[in-house]
Amino acid sequence: MSTVKRITRNASESAKSPTQIEAFRRNKLRNYAKDKLRNITNTIRMSTSGDEPSAPAGGPPAKKKKKSDPLGTQQCSSASLMASSSHPEMVAFEKLLFVLGRNYFDVGQRLGLDCVPRCVRNITECAQRHASKRSPRTKCVSSMRQANTQDQLLEHRPDQFIEFLNQAIMRQEFIDSELFVAGLQLMLTFNHPSEELRVEYGVGDIVAGTGEALEKCLEHFPPCRWDLRSAYLQIMNGQLDAPCFKRCDQREGLFRNVLHLIELNIETEHEKESNRPGAACAEKRKTRRQASPDDEMMYNYNTWMLTNRMSYDFDRLSREERFQRLFAVLHVLVKLLEMDFAMWILRNPTRTQHNLCNPSRNPLVAQLVWNGDYGSVNLFVKKLFQMFVNVNALQYPAEDISVVARLLNLVTVAVNLSEFQHNDGQIEYPSARDNSVHYARQLWKTLETSGYCSIPLCLRTIRSLRSPFLRLRVVEHLLQKLNRGVNLSNVRCFFQQLLDRCWLECSEQEPDEEGAQQATMYPVLNVQRTRTSRTSEIHQKQYVELLLTGLQAYCDMYQLPAYFREIMVRPLPNASSTSTAVECSPSKRIVVPEAVDDERMIFQGIALNTELVLEYRDDIKYLLLIEQQLKRLESAEERALFHDWLAFLSEVDPSLTTG
């Protein structure tokens, strides 16, 4: 073979084919995504199978046993069982770390989400497609299509506007911040079309259709995408440019202006028809037509258009419609904040306080609520407290109260995260430091100083709270108002309340139901209202319910039911690794916990010590003592009074029979 042929053949053999190049590129991108996933959760769980035995000096290294080897699996399981039986304290540590670590990343429960976002359920896909800056940029609607979509509103075709939004989402194109804000403004301002227009849609179709399109946009283009943060921040700070919103301070942004409009309409009555700017002109036209019948001939096309054309005016809506539109828009905005905050918690398991106070890294809710004073009870937080108390006092619809409660819960979690302290990479969780305690005290003061303050209002407000920490603190403050010596720092305090039988000091009469009949769905706040002397009177049923609410909140906050189930799981001595627990008879109180789909969703950075484990052990002990105390109830009246207690404890401990 000639030298030229040999060189050519060697070069062709050493060159990589396009298939090999593509495989190499994909493998590199996959490895980057894996590294990015570690950055998102930082929860790659350490192997629990123990270190391999070291080989003798100078000898060959010991071989690792294959996972499919049943003998090796049984030996490993037996060794772990021996370690567990010889070190019960280590078992308690591991169980508590598992429960708290799982709850730390259970953002659905921590944020009180009605619907868990798709990215939370599949963090691997989110890391590859949303968090990685090597993933393609989000495709947005072109400027020409944006202009055409906006023209549909100017040409009074709101149904086509919604259709254009849905078509853009079907094309996998983000509608951008301008169209998103236009959709929110359409929900606020769209008026009833005249019957003369004979359109095939109504107000409900437009408002609901726009809301569904915007929520669909959030699901297809979540705020955890690396290139959409600025767009969603522009939406929250967008401007309501309709003439009816000229009284709003556009510098405050869309989110704050919506809350301001809710606050304003709670405190003031709807503007009467005669006070509207266009009402005087309409009255003049009516008078003119009555005075001179010949003017009816002048009723031309322009006059017909002025009378029957489609309009977008928030001021022309009734009071009930105003609130329905405002809460519908607030629902979309709160859902956006929930989706952003949920993934932010998963992406920032450590250095939480530092990242929350960093404007370039913090979640959207922190940027909207605070301006440098992160975690403080500023004017925005105080107004949110007042709004939450007012909607409960006026007994607005439950779905509207729920929207405000969701927003309040987001702020509560953000306040709590702003004071997380790290000791050698470990986090004290659950933790409620001075700032969180002060935050809860301010909510109680807002409730206590309300002119509508009463025991039924306090109970309704506590029930609507989504944060276990806030529920516990408000219950404690209310009980301290009735009895200054009350302290709910552990389960023993609740047990002591049962021993003291404090409810016997309350009235035996059935409490009156307040506000059973209301003239309107959205009554106006009476700022001149004063409390009566009977508003602080509490009945036995209310006192027992209040104690139970506090106990449930304490158990939810510190994950006592989950820990109770974990410590009641006993491994089989001769079982393989595939079945390490057995469910015995109910009398033995053994419950098999639910399996964790992804072990990376168990945070390993929880700070534990012996004192904390002993505190949990005491709480479990007093929960069992409460069970025994309730089992001793003999009279039918007391068993009926504590029926909800028995039902709750039977959920914690299925061996308890309520009878």
Side-chain angles (χ1 to χ4, degrees):
M1 182 184 296
S2 64
T3 305
V4 176
K5 288 184 178 181
R6 185 168 58 253
I7 294 174
T8 304
R9 178 172 297 180
N10 293 337
S12 62
E13 290 177 354
S14 62
K16 293 184 178 179
S17 64
T19 305
Q20 292 175 332
I21 295 175
E22 181 66 18
F24 175 78
R25 187 184 65 82
R26 290 181 179 177
N27 187 34
K28 184 177 181 180
L29 183 60
R30 188 181 299 110
N31 292 334
Y32 176 82
K34 290 181 179 179
D35 295 337
K36 192 66 178 178
L37 178 61
R38 295 190 185 98
N39 293 334
I40 285 182
T41 61
N42 196 19
T43 57
I44 302 300
R45 197 177 185 184
M46 301 297 293
S47 175
T48 58
S49 59
D51 298 334
E52 296 296 332
S54 58
K63 295 183 178 180
K64 295 183 179 180
K65 295 185 181 295
K66 297 182 179 180
K67 293 183 179 179
S68 59
D69 186 4
L71 180 60
T73 304
Q74 185 176 359
Q75 290 177 353
C76 180
S77 177
S78 301
S80 62
L81 289 174
M82 292 176 61
S84 300
S85 60
S86 59
H87 300 286
E89 296 296 334
M90 291 303 299
V91 175
F93 268 83
E94 292 175 359
K95 297 291 187 180
L96 186 56
L97 178 61
F98 172 79
V99 170
L100 297 182
R102 179 178 56 184
N103 180 254
Y104 187 87
F105 277 149
D106 189 1
V107 292
Q109 182 178 358
R110 291 180 65 184
L111 299 179
L113 303 181
D114 293 333
C115 182
V116 179
R118 184 187 309 170
C119 292
V120 174
R121 297 192 300 266
N122 193 345
I123 58 174
T124 304
E125 181 182 359
C126 180
Q128 295 174 350
R129 300 180 57 185
H130 300 161
S132 173
K133 291 188 177 181
R134 295 192 178 185
S135 60
R137 296 187 67 91
T138 304
K139 185 180 179 181
C140 298
V141 177
S142 63
S143 57
M144 181 178 296
R145 279 180 170 165
Q146 284 194 41
N148 291 337
T149 307
Q150 292 274 18
D151 290 342
Q152 303 307 309
L153 296 179
L154 299 177
E155 297 171 3
H156 306 292
R157 291 198 291 264
D159 56 333
Q160 290 298 313
F161 174 82
I162 299 174
E163 183 65 24
F164 281 21
L165 294 184
N166 289 321
Q167 289 178 2
I169 297 173
M170 291 178 62
R171 295 192 306 267
Q172 294 296 316
E173 294 179 354
F174 180 59
I175 62 176
D176 216 343
S177 57
E178 292 185 4
L179 289 182
F180 204 105
V181 173
L184 294 174
Q185 185 166 263
L186 174 63
M187 295 174 64
L188 288 174
T189 59
F190 183 67
N191 299 133
H192 289 270
S194 173
E195 295 181 358
E196 296 289 334
L197 298 177
R198 298 180 181 179
V199 294
E200 298 180 353
Y201 52 83
V203 173
D205 300 327
I206 298 300
V207 175
T210 307
E212 292 174 0
L214 297 181
E215 289 189 44
K216 190 185 301 182
C217 176
L218 291 177
E219 294 172 359
H220 284 77
F221 305 95
C224 56
R225 283 179 176 261
W226 65 273
D227 57 340
L228 291 185
R229 174 182 172 85
S230 59
Y232 281 116
L233 187 59
Q234 290 176 5
I235 291 172
M236 304 302 286
N237 292 324
Q239 295 186 357
L240 299 172
D241 54 6
C244 54
F245 297 123
K246 61 182 180 181
R247 290 173 295 181
C248 297
D249 187 358
Q250 299 301 332
R251 294 173 298 179
E252 293 290 330
L254 186 148
F255 175 69
R256 291 202 174 203
N257 278 325
V258 168
L259 293 176
H260 172 70
L261 289 172
I262 295 176
E263 177 188 7
L264 181 64
N265 282 271
I266 288 176
E267 299 176 355
T268 58
E269 182 60 79
H270 180 262
E271 191 177 24
K272 293 184 179 180
E273 181 75 22
S274 59
N275 294 333
R276 292 179 188 161
C281 297
E283 187 66 25
K284 288 181 180 180
R285 288 196 300 269
K286 182 178 179 181
T287 305
R288 188 182 299 114
R289 286 198 297 270
Q290 292 177 351
S292 55
D294 295 338
D295 290 343
E296 294 182 1
M297 300 296 296
M298 302 298 296
Y299 191 74
N300 52 18
Y301 176 76
N302 292 330
T303 306
W304 184 90
M305 284 295 297
L306 290 174
T307 306
N308 298 290
R309 71 176 180 179
M310 198 171 294
S311 59
Y312 308 97
D313 191 351
F314 181 77
D315 292 333
R316 296 181 63 180
L317 300 175
S318 65
R319 179 177 179 82
E320 182 175 338
E321 288 177 323
R322 286 186 180 189
F323 277 106
Q324 291 174 350
R325 307 289 185 85
L326 288 169
F327 282 115
V329 170
L330 185 61
H331 164 74
V332 177
L333 297 178
V334 171
K335 184 174 183 178
L336 167 58
L337 295 179
E338 288 175 340
M339 296 176 66
D340 173 74
F341 202 13
M343 287 308 301
W344 186 90
I345 293 176
L346 296 180
R347 290 182 179 180
N348 296 270
T350 58
R351 295 176 60 84
T352 308
Q353 181 186 30
H354 173 77
N355 292 334
L356 187 76
C357 301
N358 188 344
S360 62
R361 292 178 176 269
N362 57 9
L364 293 177
V365 64
Q367 289 208 5
L368 296 172
V369 175
W370 295 287
N371 185 19
D373 53 343
Y374 299 101
S376 64
V377 184
N378 56 10
L379 182 61
F380 178 91
V381 176
K382 291 180 180 179
K383 287 187 175 182
L384 183 60
F385 286 165
Q386 192 67 57
M387 180 188 301
F388 181 69
V389 172
N390 289 339
V391 294
N392 278 281
L394 300 174
Q395 300 188 50
Y396 281 8
E399 57 271 17
D400 298 338
I401 297 177
S402 177
V403 176
V404 184
R406 287 161 53 195
L407 176 59
L408 180 62
N409 193 40
L410 291 177
V411 178
T412 304
V413 176
V415 170
N416 186 240
L417 291 177
S418 68
E419 58 180 5
F420 268 22
Q421 300 294 331
H422 302 266
N423 298 322
D424 298 330
Q426 302 293 307
I427 300 176
E428 296 181 11
Y429 178 81
S431 174
R433 295 180 178 270
D434 295 340
N435 196 32
S436 296
V437 174
H438 172 71
Y439 174 85
R441 188 184 301 113
Q442 293 302 312
L443 174 60
W444 162 249
K445 287 184 177 180
T446 305
L447 176 60
E448 185 184 20
T449 56
S450 172
Y452 291 80
C453 183
S454 63
I455 298 299
L457 172 60
C458 292
L459 291 175
R460 288 198 306 269
T461 305
I462 293 170
R463 290 192 208 106
S464 58
L465 286 170
R466 297 202 171 198
S467 168
F469 166 72
L470 281 184
R471 289 203 307 269
L472 176 62
R473 292 301 176 185
V474 175
V475 167
E476 186 177 33
H477 285 303
L478 179 56
L479 291 177
Q480 287 176 350
K481 183 179 181 180
L482 304 172
N483 182 4
R484 293 187 178 181
V486 174
N487 181 20
L488 304 180
S489 57
N490 49 43
V491 181
R492 182 179 182 179
C493 299
F494 294 94
F495 177 67
Q496 189 64 41
Q497 288 282 317
L498 295 182
L499 290 181
D500 296 340
R501 303 176 68 85
C502 299
W503 66 89
L504 295 179
E505 301 176 2
C506 305
S507 173
E508 297 182 4
Q509 299 177 357
E510 287 290 330
D512 297 331
E513 294 293 335
E514 286 191 355
Q517 298 292 334
Q518 289 192 140
T520 177
M521 187 180 297
Y522 297 97
V524 183
L525 182 72
N526 182 9
V527 294
Q528 305 296 332
R529 180 186 174 104
T530 57
R531 288 176 289 179
T532 61
S533 59
R534 297 188 59 185
T535 55
S536 59
E537 183 180 358
I538 189 170
H539 302 271
Q540 290 186 5
K541 184 177 180 181
Q542 294 172 333
Y543 193 92
V544 172
E545 178 186 351
L546 197 61
L547 276 180
L548 175 59
T549 303
L551 179 61
Q552 290 174 330
Y554 183 90
C555 291
D556 291 342
M557 179 178 175
Y558 292 99
Q559 291 295 294
L560 284 182
Y563 183 59
F564 183 86
R565 290 179 173 88
E566 285 297 324
I567 62 177
M568 290 304 170
V569 174
R570 297 178 182 175
L572 282 173
N574 296 322
S576 62
S577 61
T578 58
S579 59
T580 58
V582 60
E583 186 174 1
C584 300
S585 60
S587 61
K588 296 184 180 180
R589 283 196 297 270
I590 297 177
V591 181
V592 178
E594 297 181 0
V596 180
D597 296 334
D598 193 345
E599 291 187 352
R600 292 169 298 181
M601 298 302 292
I602 302 175
F603 184 54
Q604 300 294 327
I606 304 296
L608 296 181
N609 52 46
T610 306
E611 294 180 358
L612 183 62
V613 175
L614 292 178
E615 289 176 3
Y616 270 83
R617 181 176 298 176
D618 285 344
D619 285 340
I620 295 297
K621 179 183 71 174
Y622 281 102
L623 269 181
L624 299 177
L625 290 176
I626 290 177
E627 284 187 13
Q628 299 298 325
Q629 185 71 15
L630 295 179
K631 286 181 179 179
R632 298 192 185 100
L633 297 177
E634 297 180 356
S635 64
E637 292 79 6
E638 286 189 334
R639 293 189 65 86
L641 189 63
F642 285 90
H643 173 75
D644 293 338
W645 280 71
L646 294 170
F648 168 69
L649 292 175
S650 65
E651 295 177 0
V652 178
D653 180 7
S655 70
L656 178 64
T657 57
T658 59

